[in-house]
Amino acid sequence: MYEDDLTLLRQRNLKVTPQRLQILHYLHTHYTHPDADEIYTALKRTSPSLSRTTVYNALETLKKENIIHAITISAGETRYDARTDTHHHFLCTACKKISDIELICPNIKRVEGGGYCIEEVHGYFKGLCPLCAKKQERKDESKDPT
Ligand SMILES: [Zn+2]
Ligand SMILES: [Zn+2]
């Protein structure tokens, strides 16, 4: 899955800037679907001169070139993913964590059968992640006197 960041940029004839490399590296080492602010804050620690606009612009460029994917699972929030193969996402409504869900969508063949050419497939699930579901369970148990 991991490809050399430098090669990824060169293949698309993108200018190789340290910022783009930093952002790509961050996303390839953090498959947690961070948002732009999270990436900015993390990189700012080692690159104090980094501007928010640079991060936003770089993300926009990388997204356009399909090097990264933008996920808009919750309204008004964009999260980024360096995995560009087809996979689905689960948003935990409690801790806001987005996890990858490995599923093959059984409907793809039916859609393609209608003459459509599919470029992207997104599946979104929302609910409680295993950790939060357990916490919820414990809370319910403590409420229950039996
Ligand atoms: Zn959770
Ligand atoms: Zn993902």
Side-chain angles (χ1 to χ4, degrees):
M1 183 132 15
Y2 179 80
E3 283 178 74
D4 183 55
D5 299 331
L6 204 66
T7 316
L8 274 172
L9 292 175
R10 285 197 177 132
Q11 270 170 353
R12 274 120 175 140
N13 287 321
L14 286 177
K15 219 175 102 192
V16 178
T17 65
Q19 292 83 9
R20 283 176 182 170
L21 282 176
Q22 269 183 314
I23 292 168
L24 261 183
H25 179 75
Y26 185 81
L27 283 169
H28 276 132
T29 44
H30 298 79
Y31 285 101
T32 50
H33 312 89
D35 64 7
D37 258 354
E38 199 180 323
I39 300 168
Y40 168 74
T41 311
L43 297 181
K44 184 97 178 151
R45 270 182 232 134
T46 45
S47 316
S49 63
L50 186 71
S51 83
R52 201 176 285 263
T53 316
T54 308
V55 173
Y56 276 83
N57 289 345
L59 284 168
E60 197 53 41
T61 307
L62 296 172
K63 190 182 85 181
K64 255 192 222 137
E65 294 295 325
N66 216 26
I67 295 175
I68 59 168
H69 276 172
I71 309 165
T72 40
I73 184 164
S74 49
E77 200 193 18
T78 306
R79 312 258 295 240
Y80 295 91
D81 195 350
R83 263 190 75 175
T84 52
D85 60 317
T86 297
H87 64 284
H88 302 306
H89 291 107
F90 186 97
L91 171 73
C92 176
T93 49
C95 69
K96 306 293 174 211
K97 214 179 108 185
I98 294 181
S99 330
D100 287 334
I101 301 287
E102 313 297 337
L103 264 188
I104 308 284
C105 176
N107 298 316
I108 290 177
K109 283 235 150 27
R110 280 164 56 191
V111 178
E112 275 176 340
Y116 294 98
C117 173
I118 300 171
E119 285 172 351
E120 284 179 40
V121 179
H122 294 280
Y124 294 151
F125 302 87
K126 289 183 191 180
L128 293 177
C129 72
L131 226 74
C132 293
K134 261 220 178 78
K135 265 187 228 158
Q136 188 67 44
E137 224 172 82
R138 254 181 259 141
K139 235 191 260 164
D140 289 346
E141 270 166 25
S142 62
K143 263 189 243 154
D144 192 351
T146 52

